[in-house]
Amino acid sequence: MQRLFTLIFLFVCAQSFGQSPQQSQLKSWTEEYWQHGLNLLTEIVKMPNDAVYTEQIETNIQWCEQQFESRDWSYERLSTGGIPILLAQKINPNANTTILFYFHIDGQAVDRSQWDQPDPYIPVLKEKDESGYWKTIDFQRLQSEYNPEWRVFARSTSDDKGPFAMFLTAWDVLREKENLPDYSVKVILDFEEEQGSPNLPDAVVKYKDKLAADLMLIMDGPRHSSNLPTLTFGARGIAQMTLTTFGPKLPQHSGHYGNYAPNPALLLSQLLASMKDEDGQVSIPGYYEGIELSEQEKVILAAVPDNDEAIQKRLGIGRTDQVGNTYQESIQYPSLNIRGMRSAWVGPEARTIVPATALAEVDIRLVPESDPERLFSLIRKHIEDQGFHIVESDPSDEERLQYPKIVKLESKISYQAFRTPLDSYAGDWLRSAMNRAFGQEPIQIRISGGSIPISPFVDALKIPAVTIPTVNADNNQHSPNENIRLGNYREGIQTILSVLTEPSNK
Amino acid sequence: MQRLFTLIFLFVCAQSFGQSPQQSQLKSWTEEYWQHGLNLLTEIVKMPNDAVYTEQIETNIQWCEQQFESRDWSYERLSTGGIPILLAQKINPNANTTILFYFHIDGQAVDRSQWDQPDPYIPVLKEKDESGYWKTIDFQRLQSEYNPEWRVFARSTSDDKGPFAMFLTAWDVLREKENLPDYSVKVILDFEEEQGSPNLPDAVVKYKDKLAADLMLIMDGPRHSSNLPTLTFGARGIAQMTLTTFGPKLPQHSGHYGNYAPNPALLLSQLLASMKDEDGQVSIPGYYEGIELSEQEKVILAAVPDNDEAIQKRLGIGRTDQVGNTYQESIQYPSLNIRGMRSAWVGPEARTIVPATALAEVDIRLVPESDPERLFSLIRKHIEDQGFHIVESDPSDEERLQYPKIVKLESKISYQAFRTPLDSYAGDWLRSAMNRAFGQEPIQIRISGGSIPISPFVDALKIPAVTIPTVNADNNQHSPNENIRLGNYREGIQTILSVLTEPSNK
């Protein structure tokens, strides 16, 4: 009896979902078209794309325009203070839902001498031999063979031209199979992402109406290190501060003034030590305020198949900061990280002096609960509570004599965090698509530890945003020998197929 | 009646002191001979004396030998591993007391482009004009004029050829006046002092018998900043340590691992902060053990006319470390000074990482009570009490995983302190000479804050040693435009005259 109900339920679902192709269908389409996709990938990565050189980028923009043109999309360049953004659209007149896909087409600079291939922009296919060395093989072998572990090496294969080539491939499949999305699609292409997308936030505000959508999908970044299908629902933001403490106006002889002139490196150490406890938890009152992980959220975080022991072994650390109980829990909180420190000279240059200044660079990863203005006001209060007078530029002679302890505080908020709830409509919708593609729940990352420069974009549009990473985590992104694993390229196409065929009106 | 007793007392004193010339006599001899002394100074500084160039030093040695030869002294080169030491002697067959004078003849390297004169080895006479600029004047003016504020500019005028030229001058006066010392005189000339006297400690041990004396007088360094006649009874020693803390094996992305991978700069800050309190006092138990300043000693320290307010204004510090109540008291204690600190990158090079290491350079000024071995053992125990595992080289993978907190400690003892008691026979004897020369008590420095490389010499000979500084404190020692003030040159001759005429057997 129960079985009958189940069958009826599945039938009803299938009806209401329209013609959603199932896993086996998506897989066979992918197998059929992926070599077409590989040709697209080969073609796109051959164009150098370092955004420092605008002429390189112009070639890339024209290529992208040509792709949309040939697929009967409308497109336009949105001018910014720098390199334009390309907005392409395929409006479905029957739809009242629009989904915006984000890709970036520029890539990191290349140091040709560091690559194990003649040209970082001429892709090569490689296979790992028994000794673990990546050996070039002929692309021709793909005519008769397929090994998911083989990889294509070239700049931007993973970051981020690969995902765009997957998208074009998936679109071509669905056009030929007459299974195009039941919603309108917008694609935004960023050509300055590796420069920190400096013109994006202003452009988003300026072109808010054109970019309007119900959901934004960020098609960038690597999957979870397990390489299983992944959805990432947010990214931490980032702010910085520089703290400088002051000793004597000029470095002084440590014999004459050691025990007399206050040492700025000691002052800085005392100040930094006062900010965090032995377990690496920030001890500034209120710093973690507003962050409560429910039991349900802890279950979601615990479901991520991290291997904490393996991470610690790889990093060579005998303990971890105790901000959260696990790696995933730890990144749900804002950080306060000393990323650099300097006072006078060390090593062979060390001199017997009391230094004049000591400086610490601190970065703060933000979560949605931690408004950076609030954090900085807590930090300022804490610093003052330690007896410091805060200045914004180097202290005058009068200030030096007036205040026993002085610190210069310079701060900058780069961009805030974003996080889309897992239990939102967007979350349900994407999980449904991924389940259909792979027959299993995706790994769900509540928020990623790192920050991405497109979060101002997300914040400005005020729509839910989710990252769909597809590439392998060991892709050497930002480094020489960037690559994409063939298995990831194929599964990436399959992922996008599932998203494009997910009914919007279920 | 009282007046009569006083007269008898003075008569008796004069008898028992032999023919000691009084202040007015010393002054008139100095006025008579100081231009002869200036010729000697001019001659000696004209010889370049950078000990990096042994041929330069050879010229200086030969000149010195010639000076002793012409004055009927015996002399010999004592070979060392490097440049020889010159020992000269004038034995008084009737004396059973020997006094050893130390000078060094080598000088700091010169950067000719930084000097306000054509050649740092060709002395020029200068007068300060109304705008505070040092203007060259003709040496000829000294035939008819004398201004104590005029200065001779050339390398080593103050450090340390000037004092040796004063000594030769004083000797010539007393030879002509038939008032040579009633004790035997030894002179040791060091030609590698600015290189840290690397061969001196071994040489002293080797030639201990030849160098034997009852008192050593170190004729080097500047007077107290008040420029009043000064005696310095000791110098702090020096030891160093380098502390390195460890985070992840390689720098890690601060987004991915901030809040998870322990930060080595925080660890270092916590460790350093644990070593000293808010007032700059070392909080390691036992660090100041054995140092007790008696009320009498505090009176002596308080008698030094330091202007703490002026020092603080010059250094631009609104408070001082509270190790002692005054500047002089503060240097009676060992220091623990962070002289340099480094972790990853700062400024434009700053990167969003958790650094792999953090490093602090620390110097420790020693006093006689603070055996450096004992201090290092206290520091080690303190570090271990903070939960650190101490290693001597970079930790292995196994150590990294085994110990939650690791610090690498490298230490070196350069040389120890020396201090001759003020209330010793040597102290009484020198105060008597200085009183006779200037009609007032000299400033007495119990120990100088800085360290001097000849303290191993003092330690090896195991005789009392006192420094008799004569030159002006603002002589630009070790810098371009080194100079000596004419008033100091003349008073320096007068000082040495008083010492050479002080009876040894009173």
Tab-separated table of all heavy atoms in Angstrom, chain A residues 103-149:
chain	number	residue	atom	x	y	z
A	103	PHE	N	30.383	34.359	-13.794
A	103	PHE	CA	31.694	33.748	-14.108
A	103	PHE	C	32.709	34.883	-14.222
A	103	PHE	O	32.348	36.026	-14.472
A	103	PHE	CB	31.676	33.041	-15.469
A	103	PHE	CG	30.648	31.969	-15.628
A	103	PHE	CD1	29.366	32.267	-16.102
A	103	PHE	CD2	30.949	30.646	-15.342
A	103	PHE	CE1	28.412	31.277	-16.276
A	103	PHE	CE2	30.004	29.644	-15.518
A	103	PHE	CZ	28.726	29.953	-15.989
A	104	HIS	N	33.985	34.543	-14.101
A	104	HIS	CA	34.981	35.541	-14.507
A	104	HIS	C	35.886	34.913	-15.554
A	104	HIS	O	36.129	33.702	-15.545
A	104	HIS	CB	35.753	36.132	-13.325
A	104	HIS	CG	36.709	35.198	-12.652
A	104	HIS	ND1	38.013	35.061	-13.045
A	104	HIS	CD2	36.536	34.355	-11.600
A	104	HIS	CE1	38.618	34.190	-12.253
A	104	HIS	NE2	37.744	33.741	-11.376
A	105	ILE	N	36.338	35.767	-16.451
A	105	ILE	CA	37.063	35.289	-17.624
A	105	ILE	C	38.554	35.634	-17.541
A	105	ILE	O	39.378	34.993	-18.175
A	105	ILE	CB	36.429	35.876	-18.912
A	105	ILE	CG1	34.940	35.470	-19.004
A	105	ILE	CG2	37.173	35.442	-20.178
A	105	ILE	CD1	34.685	33.969	-19.107
A	106	ASP	N	38.900	36.631	-16.748
A	106	ASP	CA	40.334	36.950	-16.606
A	106	ASP	C	41.004	35.899	-15.726
A	106	ASP	O	40.329	35.156	-14.993
A	106	ASP	CB	40.516	38.354	-16.002
A	106	ASP	CG	39.965	38.446	-14.584
A	106	ASP	OD1	38.855	37.922	-14.339
A	106	ASP	OD2	40.651	39.017	-13.728
A	107	GLY	N	42.323	35.848	-15.804
A	107	GLY	CA	43.079	34.852	-15.034
A	107	GLY	C	44.258	35.478	-14.333
A	107	GLY	O	44.638	36.622	-14.608
A	108	GLN	N	44.852	34.721	-13.434
A	108	GLN	CA	46.066	35.160	-12.757
A	108	GLN	C	47.205	35.301	-13.764
A	108	GLN	O	47.240	34.608	-14.785
A	108	GLN	CB	46.479	34.122	-11.709
A	108	GLN	CG	45.642	34.172	-10.449
A	108	GLN	CD	46.138	35.228	-9.475
A	108	GLN	OE1	47.334	35.440	-9.337
A	108	GLN	NE2	45.205	35.907	-8.822
A	109	ALA	N	48.134	36.189	-13.453
A	109	ALA	CA	49.336	36.346	-14.277
A	109	ALA	C	50.096	35.013	-14.317
A	109	ALA	O	49.930	34.175	-13.434
A	109	ALA	CB	50.229	37.430	-13.687
A	110	VAL	N	50.895	34.822	-15.346
A	110	VAL	CA	51.672	33.566	-15.436
A	110	VAL	C	53.163	33.871	-15.397
A	110	VAL	O	53.609	34.885	-15.911
A	110	VAL	CB	51.365	32.782	-16.739
A	110	VAL	CG1	49.930	32.319	-16.760
A	110	VAL	CG2	51.710	33.609	-17.972
A	111	ASP	N	53.914	33.002	-14.732
A	111	ASP	CA	55.375	33.050	-14.794
A	111	ASP	C	55.774	31.819	-15.610
A	111	ASP	O	55.852	30.712	-15.099
A	111	ASP	CB	55.950	32.999	-13.379
A	111	ASP	CG	57.476	32.962	-13.380
A	111	ASP	OD1	58.061	32.838	-14.477
A	111	ASP	OD2	58.061	33.037	-12.297
A	112	ARG	N	55.973	32.058	-16.906
A	112	ARG	CA	56.161	30.955	-17.838
A	112	ARG	C	57.267	29.981	-17.406
A	112	ARG	O	57.165	28.775	-17.622
A	112	ARG	CB	56.500	31.489	-19.239
A	112	ARG	CG	55.276	32.096	-19.926
A	112	ARG	CD	55.631	32.918	-21.151
A	112	ARG	NE	54.435	33.590	-21.634
A	112	ARG	CZ	53.643	33.098	-22.600
A	112	ARG	NH1	53.938	31.955	-23.180
A	112	ARG	NH2	52.569	33.753	-22.966
A	113	SER	N	58.320	30.540	-16.767
A	113	SER	CA	59.464	29.685	-16.413
A	113	SER	C	59.093	28.646	-15.365
A	113	SER	O	59.799	27.663	-15.177
A	113	SER	CB	60.604	30.552	-15.891
A	113	SER	OG	60.238	31.118	-14.636
A	114	GLN	N	57.978	28.865	-14.663
A	114	GLN	CA	57.598	27.949	-13.590
A	114	GLN	C	56.651	26.843	-14.057
A	114	GLN	O	56.278	25.985	-13.258
A	114	GLN	CB	56.919	28.731	-12.452
A	114	GLN	CG	57.794	29.805	-11.829
A	114	GLN	CD	59.032	29.222	-11.169
A	114	GLN	OE1	58.941	28.336	-10.338
A	114	GLN	NE2	60.205	29.687	-11.587
A	115	TRP	N	56.241	26.901	-15.286
A	115	TRP	CA	55.279	25.908	-15.785
A	115	TRP	C	56.005	24.725	-16.430
A	115	TRP	O	57.013	24.902	-17.106
A	115	TRP	CB	54.342	26.547	-16.819
A	115	TRP	CG	53.280	27.428	-16.202
A	115	TRP	CD1	53.484	28.612	-15.573
A	115	TRP	CD2	51.876	27.186	-16.177
A	115	TRP	NE1	52.279	29.127	-15.141
A	115	TRP	CE2	51.276	28.275	-15.508
A	115	TRP	CE3	51.049	26.156	-16.653
A	115	TRP	CZ2	49.895	28.368	-15.305
A	115	TRP	CZ3	49.675	26.246	-16.457
A	115	TRP	CH2	49.105	27.341	-15.774
A	116	ASP	N	55.435	23.527	-16.245
A	116	ASP	CA	56.016	22.318	-16.849
A	116	ASP	C	55.431	22.064	-18.231
A	116	ASP	O	55.099	20.923	-18.579
A	116	ASP	CB	55.749	21.103	-15.936
A	116	ASP	CG	56.385	21.282	-14.571
A	116	ASP	OD1	57.415	21.980	-14.486
A	116	ASP	OD2	55.840	20.744	-13.595
A	117	GLN	N	55.262	23.119	-18.992
A	117	GLN	CA	54.779	22.975	-20.368
A	117	GLN	C	55.263	24.213	-21.114
A	117	GLN	O	55.578	25.230	-20.485
A	117	GLN	CB	53.258	22.841	-20.416
A	117	GLN	CG	52.489	24.100	-20.009
A	117	GLN	CD	51.032	23.769	-19.685
A	117	GLN	OE1	50.721	23.038	-18.745
A	117	GLN	NE2	50.118	24.312	-20.478
A	118	PRO	N	55.368	24.123	-22.453
A	118	PRO	CA	55.996	25.235	-23.178
A	118	PRO	C	55.246	26.563	-23.005
A	118	PRO	O	55.874	27.606	-22.874
A	118	PRO	CB	55.961	24.776	-24.634
A	118	PRO	CG	55.788	23.291	-24.589
A	118	PRO	CD	55.021	22.998	-23.333
A	119	ASP	N	53.908	26.507	-23.016
A	119	ASP	CA	53.138	27.750	-22.973
A	119	ASP	C	51.930	27.546	-22.060
A	119	ASP	O	51.119	26.637	-22.299
A	119	ASP	CB	52.688	28.103	-24.404
A	119	ASP	CG	52.020	29.473	-24.472
A	119	ASP	OD1	51.405	29.900	-23.469
A	119	ASP	OD2	52.116	30.112	-25.530
A	120	PRO	N	51.787	28.373	-21.005
A	120	PRO	CA	50.661	28.185	-20.072
A	120	PRO	C	49.302	28.401	-20.735
A	120	PRO	O	48.274	28.043	-20.148
A	120	PRO	CB	50.897	29.269	-19.009
A	120	PRO	CG	52.312	29.718	-19.181
A	120	PRO	CD	52.663	29.493	-20.613
A	121	TYR	N	49.303	28.981	-21.947
A	121	TYR	CA	48.035	29.226	-22.632
A	121	TYR	C	47.760	28.196	-23.729
A	121	TYR	O	46.753	28.277	-24.413
A	121	TYR	CB	47.999	30.651	-23.212
A	121	TYR	CG	48.058	31.732	-22.140
A	121	TYR	CD1	49.140	32.596	-22.058
A	121	TYR	CD2	47.016	31.874	-21.215
A	121	TYR	CE1	49.200	33.586	-21.079
A	121	TYR	CE2	47.065	32.855	-20.232
A	121	TYR	CZ	48.164	33.711	-20.166
A	121	TYR	OH	48.212	34.678	-19.199
A	122	ILE	N	48.681	27.259	-23.942
A	122	ILE	CA	48.437	26.165	-24.896
A	122	ILE	C	48.177	24.920	-24.065
A	122	ILE	O	49.099	24.359	-23.460
A	122	ILE	CB	49.656	25.928	-25.822
A	122	ILE	CG1	50.057	27.221	-26.548
A	122	ILE	CG2	49.343	24.803	-26.820
A	122	ILE	CD1	49.042	27.730	-27.545
A	123	PRO	N	46.920	24.495	-24.005
A	123	PRO	CA	46.590	23.386	-23.093
A	123	PRO	C	47.258	22.084	-23.498
A	123	PRO	O	47.443	21.813	-24.682
A	123	PRO	CB	45.067	23.280	-23.214
A	123	PRO	CG	44.694	23.990	-24.470
A	123	PRO	CD	45.744	25.016	-24.726
A	124	VAL	N	47.642	21.328	-22.473
A	124	VAL	CA	48.174	19.982	-22.710
A	124	VAL	C	47.407	19.005	-21.830
A	124	VAL	O	46.920	19.367	-20.751
A	124	VAL	CB	49.681	19.886	-22.406
A	124	VAL	CG1	50.497	20.705	-23.397
A	124	VAL	CG2	49.988	20.319	-20.984
A	125	LEU	N	47.302	17.773	-22.332
A	125	LEU	CA	46.636	16.705	-21.585
A	125	LEU	C	47.722	15.906	-20.871
A	125	LEU	O	48.754	15.604	-21.468
A	125	LEU	CB	45.854	15.818	-22.559
A	125	LEU	CG	45.008	14.696	-21.947
A	125	LEU	CD1	43.862	15.241	-21.102
A	125	LEU	CD2	44.467	13.775	-23.063
A	126	LYS	N	47.489	15.585	-19.610
A	126	LYS	CA	48.520	14.854	-18.864
A	126	LYS	C	47.931	13.696	-18.071
A	126	LYS	O	46.778	13.733	-17.620
A	126	LYS	CB	49.273	15.797	-17.919
A	126	LYS	CG	50.134	16.835	-18.628
A	126	LYS	CD	51.048	17.563	-17.651
A	126	LYS	CE	51.920	18.576	-18.393
A	126	LYS	NZ	52.917	19.192	-17.486
A	127	GLU	N	48.803	12.727	-17.888
A	127	GLU	CA	48.466	11.535	-17.116
A	127	GLU	C	49.545	11.377	-16.043
A	127	GLU	O	50.713	11.639	-16.321
A	127	GLU	CB	48.510	10.337	-18.076
A	127	GLU	CG	48.356	8.992	-17.435
A	127	GLU	CD	48.417	7.870	-18.497
A	127	GLU	OE1	49.363	7.885	-19.344
A	127	GLU	OE2	47.541	7.005	-18.477
A	128	LYS	N	49.172	10.956	-14.865
A	128	LYS	CA	50.169	10.784	-13.799
A	128	LYS	C	50.809	9.411	-13.955
A	128	LYS	O	50.100	8.402	-14.016
A	128	LYS	CB	49.480	10.865	-12.437
A	128	LYS	CG	50.389	11.350	-11.319
A	128	LYS	CD	49.640	11.455	-10.003
A	128	LYS	CE	49.967	12.747	-9.271
A	128	LYS	NZ	49.133	12.975	-8.096
A	129	ASP	N	52.145	9.394	-14.041
A	129	ASP	CA	52.786	8.076	-14.187
A	129	ASP	C	53.015	7.442	-12.808
A	129	ASP	O	52.645	8.009	-11.775
A	129	ASP	CB	54.059	8.160	-15.034
A	129	ASP	CG	55.173	8.917	-14.329
A	129	ASP	OD1	55.063	9.153	-13.104
A	129	ASP	OD2	56.145	9.282	-15.012
A	130	GLU	N	53.621	6.275	-12.819
A	130	GLU	CA	53.735	5.512	-11.560
A	130	GLU	C	54.538	6.255	-10.483
A	130	GLU	O	54.308	6.082	-9.288
A	130	GLU	CB	54.390	4.146	-11.823
A	130	GLU	CG	53.424	3.175	-12.492
A	130	GLU	CD	54.141	2.265	-13.470
A	130	GLU	OE1	55.380	2.204	-13.408
A	130	GLU	OE2	53.449	1.633	-14.302
A	131	SER	N	55.466	7.086	-10.931
A	131	SER	CA	56.275	7.801	-9.936
A	131	SER	C	55.621	9.125	-9.517
A	131	SER	O	56.234	9.931	-8.830
A	131	SER	CB	57.672	8.052	-10.499
A	131	SER	OG	57.567	8.802	-11.696
A	132	GLY	N	54.383	9.339	-9.959
A	132	GLY	CA	53.666	10.533	-9.522
A	132	GLY	C	53.968	11.765	-10.362
A	132	GLY	O	53.574	12.874	-9.996
A	133	TYR	N	54.631	11.589	-11.462
A	133	TYR	CA	54.989	12.712	-12.325
A	133	TYR	C	53.943	12.878	-13.414
A	133	TYR	O	53.473	11.901	-13.993
A	133	TYR	CB	56.373	12.440	-12.938
A	133	TYR	CG	56.833	13.495	-13.914
A	133	TYR	CD1	57.345	14.715	-13.474
A	133	TYR	CD2	56.746	13.263	-15.296
A	133	TYR	CE1	57.746	15.679	-14.374
A	133	TYR	CE2	57.151	14.232	-16.210
A	133	TYR	CZ	57.646	15.431	-15.743
A	133	TYR	OH	58.039	16.391	-16.637
A	134	TRP	N	53.557	14.136	-13.697
A	134	TRP	CA	52.546	14.393	-14.716
A	134	TRP	C	53.211	14.379	-16.089
A	134	TRP	O	54.045	15.211	-16.398
A	134	TRP	CB	51.856	15.734	-14.484
A	134	TRP	CG	50.878	15.690	-13.354
A	134	TRP	CD1	51.052	16.178	-12.097
A	134	TRP	CD2	49.572	15.102	-13.380
A	134	TRP	NE1	49.940	15.935	-11.320
A	134	TRP	CE2	49.005	15.278	-12.096
A	134	TRP	CE3	48.811	14.420	-14.353
A	134	TRP	CZ2	47.735	14.825	-11.750
A	134	TRP	CZ3	47.546	13.975	-14.016
A	134	TRP	CH2	47.027	14.168	-12.734
A	135	LYS	N	52.780	13.429	-16.920
A	135	LYS	CA	53.393	13.183	-18.222
A	135	LYS	C	52.397	13.595	-19.305
A	135	LYS	O	51.218	13.230	-19.247
A	135	LYS	CB	53.685	11.679	-18.326
A	135	LYS	CG	54.527	11.242	-19.469
A	135	LYS	CD	54.603	9.700	-19.471
A	135	LYS	CE	53.207	9.090	-19.752
A	135	LYS	NZ	53.179	7.627	-19.760
A	136	THR	N	52.886	14.352	-20.278
A	136	THR	CA	52.003	14.805	-21.362
A	136	THR	C	51.601	13.629	-22.252
A	136	THR	O	52.425	12.786	-22.595
A	136	THR	CB	52.723	15.870	-22.216
A	136	THR	OG1	53.100	16.938	-21.353
A	136	THR	CG2	51.830	16.394	-23.324
A	137	ILE	N	50.314	13.577	-22.603
A	137	ILE	CA	49.830	12.564	-23.556
A	137	ILE	C	49.069	13.272	-24.673
A	137	ILE	O	48.685	14.432	-24.534
A	137	ILE	CB	48.942	11.493	-22.867
A	137	ILE	CG1	47.747	12.161	-22.141
A	137	ILE	CG2	49.751	10.672	-21.890
A	137	ILE	CD1	46.768	11.172	-21.536
A	138	ASP	N	48.858	12.558	-25.754
A	138	ASP	CA	48.241	13.162	-26.935
A	138	ASP	C	46.730	13.306	-26.735
A	138	ASP	O	46.072	12.374	-26.262
A	138	ASP	CB	48.533	12.268	-28.149
A	138	ASP	CG	48.375	13.055	-29.437
A	138	ASP	OD1	47.365	13.784	-29.580
A	138	ASP	OD2	49.270	12.950	-30.297
A	139	PHE	N	46.197	14.474	-27.100
A	139	PHE	CA	44.748	14.670	-27.023
A	139	PHE	C	44.002	13.624	-27.876
A	139	PHE	O	42.844	13.311	-27.602
A	139	PHE	CB	44.370	16.086	-27.499
A	139	PHE	CG	44.383	17.127	-26.399
A	139	PHE	CD1	45.405	18.054	-26.305
A	139	PHE	CD2	43.351	17.189	-25.459
A	139	PHE	CE1	45.416	19.022	-25.294
A	139	PHE	CE2	43.352	18.155	-24.450
A	139	PHE	CZ	44.390	19.065	-24.368
A	140	GLN	N	44.693	13.116	-28.913
A	140	GLN	CA	44.070	12.132	-29.804
A	140	GLN	C	43.565	10.900	-29.055
A	140	GLN	O	42.597	10.265	-29.465
A	140	GLN	CB	45.098	11.675	-30.863
A	140	GLN	CG	45.395	12.715	-31.936
A	140	GLN	CD	44.148	13.074	-32.755
A	140	GLN	OE1	43.291	12.233	-32.993
A	140	GLN	NE2	44.041	14.337	-33.135
A	141	ARG	N	44.248	10.587	-27.929
A	141	ARG	CA	43.847	9.387	-27.193
A	141	ARG	C	42.407	9.468	-26.691
A	141	ARG	O	41.771	8.441	-26.423
A	141	ARG	CB	44.795	9.135	-26.026
A	141	ARG	CG	46.126	8.562	-26.501
A	141	ARG	CD	47.088	8.316	-25.376
A	141	ARG	NE	46.627	7.325	-24.409
A	141	ARG	CZ	47.329	6.970	-23.335
A	141	ARG	NH1	48.523	7.522	-23.120
A	141	ARG	NH2	46.854	6.069	-22.495
A	142	LEU	N	41.894	10.695	-26.582
A	142	LEU	CA	40.518	10.850	-26.092
A	142	LEU	C	39.491	10.348	-27.102
A	142	LEU	O	38.316	10.176	-26.766
A	142	LEU	CB	40.240	12.323	-25.752
A	142	LEU	CG	41.006	12.862	-24.544
A	142	LEU	CD1	40.789	14.353	-24.383
A	142	LEU	CD2	40.576	12.129	-23.262
A	143	GLN	N	39.928	10.137	-28.336
A	143	GLN	CA	39.006	9.600	-29.347
A	143	GLN	C	38.539	8.199	-28.971
A	143	GLN	O	37.405	7.814	-29.253
A	143	GLN	CB	39.702	9.533	-30.725
A	143	GLN	CG	40.258	10.867	-31.225
A	143	GLN	CD	39.176	11.909	-31.487
A	143	GLN	OE1	38.040	11.549	-31.784
A	143	GLN	NE2	39.526	13.171	-31.343
A	144	SER	N	39.425	7.467	-28.306
A	144	SER	CA	39.066	6.079	-28.014
A	144	SER	C	39.114	5.739	-26.528
A	144	SER	O	38.671	4.673	-26.110
A	144	SER	CB	40.036	5.141	-28.760
A	144	SER	OG	41.362	5.486	-28.403
A	145	GLU	N	39.683	6.647	-25.735
A	145	GLU	CA	39.847	6.329	-24.312
A	145	GLU	C	39.288	7.467	-23.458
A	145	GLU	O	39.229	8.606	-23.895
A	145	GLU	CB	41.338	6.216	-23.948
A	145	GLU	CG	42.059	5.015	-24.510
A	145	GLU	CD	43.538	5.095	-24.147
A	145	GLU	OE1	43.884	4.718	-23.009
A	145	GLU	OE2	44.334	5.556	-24.993
A	146	TYR	N	38.947	7.150	-22.205
A	146	TYR	CA	38.581	8.197	-21.259
A	146	TYR	C	39.044	7.772	-19.882
A	146	TYR	O	38.788	6.641	-19.443
A	146	TYR	CB	37.065	8.437	-21.244
A	146	TYR	CG	36.625	9.292	-20.068
A	146	TYR	CD1	36.914	10.663	-20.055
A	146	TYR	CD2	35.962	8.728	-18.977
A	146	TYR	CE1	36.540	11.445	-18.974
A	146	TYR	CE2	35.585	9.503	-17.899
A	146	TYR	CZ	35.878	10.864	-17.889
A	146	TYR	OH	35.510	11.633	-16.827
A	147	ASN	N	39.762	8.643	-19.214
A	147	ASN	CA	40.178	8.374	-17.840
A	147	ASN	C	39.877	9.631	-17.032
A	147	ASN	O	40.417	10.693	-17.313
A	147	ASN	CB	41.681	8.066	-17.803
A	147	ASN	CG	42.158	7.714	-16.401
A	147	ASN	OD1	41.534	8.095	-15.406
A	147	ASN	ND2	43.262	6.982	-16.322
A	148	PRO	N	38.982	9.525	-16.036
A	148	PRO	CA	38.588	10.739	-15.290
A	148	PRO	C	39.758	11.406	-14.575
A	148	PRO	O	39.686	12.580	-14.228
A	148	PRO	CB	37.542	10.229	-14.292
A	148	PRO	CG	37.776	8.754	-14.180
A	148	PRO	CD	38.316	8.318	-15.516
A	149	GLU	N	40.867	10.638	-14.365
A	149	GLU	CA	42.004	11.199	-13.631
A	149	GLU	C	42.946	12.010	-14.523
A	149	GLU	O	43.846	12.683	-14.015
A	149	GLU	CB	42.799	10.092	-12.919
A	149	GLU	CG	41.986	9.285	-11.912
A	149	GLU	CD	41.340	10.147	-10.819
A	149	GLU	OE1	41.863	11.253	-10.537
A	149	GLU	OE2	40.289	9.727	-10.291
